[in-house]
Amino acid sequence: MGPHALLVELDDLAHAQAFHAEVLRRRAAGNLPGVRDIVPAARTVLLDGLDDPQALAADLRTWHIPPLASDGGRLIEIPVRYDGPDLAEVARLWGMPAERVPETLADLELRVAFCGFAPGFGYLSGLPAELHLPRRATPRTAVPAGSVALAGEYAGVYPRSSPGGWQLVGSTDAVLWDPGRKPAALLAPGTRVRFTAADEFTAAHEESRT
């Protein structure tokens, strides 16, 4: 942080997401001139590029922050092959057959709460409490790129091969990070995400072409 930045601390993830959405809305409306970067995290939102951070800090006390709209933001479908090595363990922890894991995730609309860990990695919120999972007791030294994973209250997709301790349930060919693409990251904070079984995704698109 520098002299032109302001770090806003929120009560929890839900408040951080709602505040982040309100900041984006006000900037789009031209009410936050000079704000260059907006960086959400689990319980904070960083605003940078401010001429007078203290003035904005004082003004924030007057803001009304509405709850996050469930249908706001761009929706991206990510086709998933449910071939992850932890699929059976995840199903056991969820108390269901492995065959029901795809439909359980497909029924959820997740949202990118914030990004980090690696370029293109989005922490996807929206898992109900009964689906929260522990990390693996022993992290893997190398998780393949495209692995669809779960840990704690989050889901995510590894944009590149890296060490990791999340539970791996599947894989996808979606490109999460491409430096030659604009924007480079497929997932940005606020984006809504739905995991779709790869076969169903392919069939739907083949049908749409006919």
Side-chain angles (χ1 to χ4, degrees):
M1 291 181 59
H4 298 291
L6 177 67
L7 184 66
V8 182
E9 298 183 356
L10 289 307
D11 290 338
D12 51 30
L13 178 61
H15 284 87
Q17 289 182 293
F19 180 77
H20 175 244
E22 179 66 11
V23 170
L24 293 180
R25 189 190 68 77
R26 289 181 182 243
R27 184 171 70 169
N31 296 327
L32 287 174
V35 174
R36 183 178 61 249
D37 294 320
I38 302 170
V39 184
R43 289 173 176 77
T44 62
V45 177
L46 175 68
L47 300 99
D48 198 11
L50 305 172
D51 292 333
D52 189 346
Q54 294 305 318
L56 179 57
D59 187 52
L60 290 180
R61 301 180 187 280
T62 69
W63 285 22
H64 167 68
I65 311 297
L68 186 65
S70 59
D71 58 350
R74 186 170 61 128
L75 174 64
I76 289 181
E77 291 188 347
I78 295 180
V80 177
R81 296 179 295 272
Y82 283 90
D83 54 5
D86 300 320
L87 181 62
E89 175 63 8
V90 168
R92 186 188 70 79
L93 292 169
W94 284 357
M96 63 178 64
E99 292 77 8
R100 282 189 54 200
V101 171
E103 64 184 75
T104 299
L105 287 173
D107 285 343
L108 300 174
E109 187 171 283
L110 306 173
R111 183 181 292 271
V112 183
F114 54 96
C115 296
F117 171 61
F121 188 93
Y123 288 78
L124 308 181
S125 65
L127 290 173
E130 62 270 22
L131 299 184
H132 293 182
L133 290 168
R135 291 170 179 260
R136 285 174 48 83
T138 303
R140 292 183 169 90
T141 56
V143 174
S147 293
V148 177
L150 307 166
E153 61 185 295
Y154 298 110
V157 181
Y158 283 76
R160 66 186 184 191
S161 178
S162 63
W166 290 31
Q167 309 272 3
L168 308 183
V169 295
S171 60
T172 179
D173 294 329
V175 178
L176 276 294
W177 178 258
D178 180 358
R181 184 177 59 195
K182 291 185 178 181
L186 178 65
L187 305 179
T191 302
R192 296 178 293 140
V193 176
R194 187 179 294 280
F195 289 138
T196 307
D199 290 344
E200 295 176 6
F201 181 86
T202 302
H205 280 255
E206 289 297 328
E207 184 176 334
S208 68
R209 294 174 182 171
T210 61

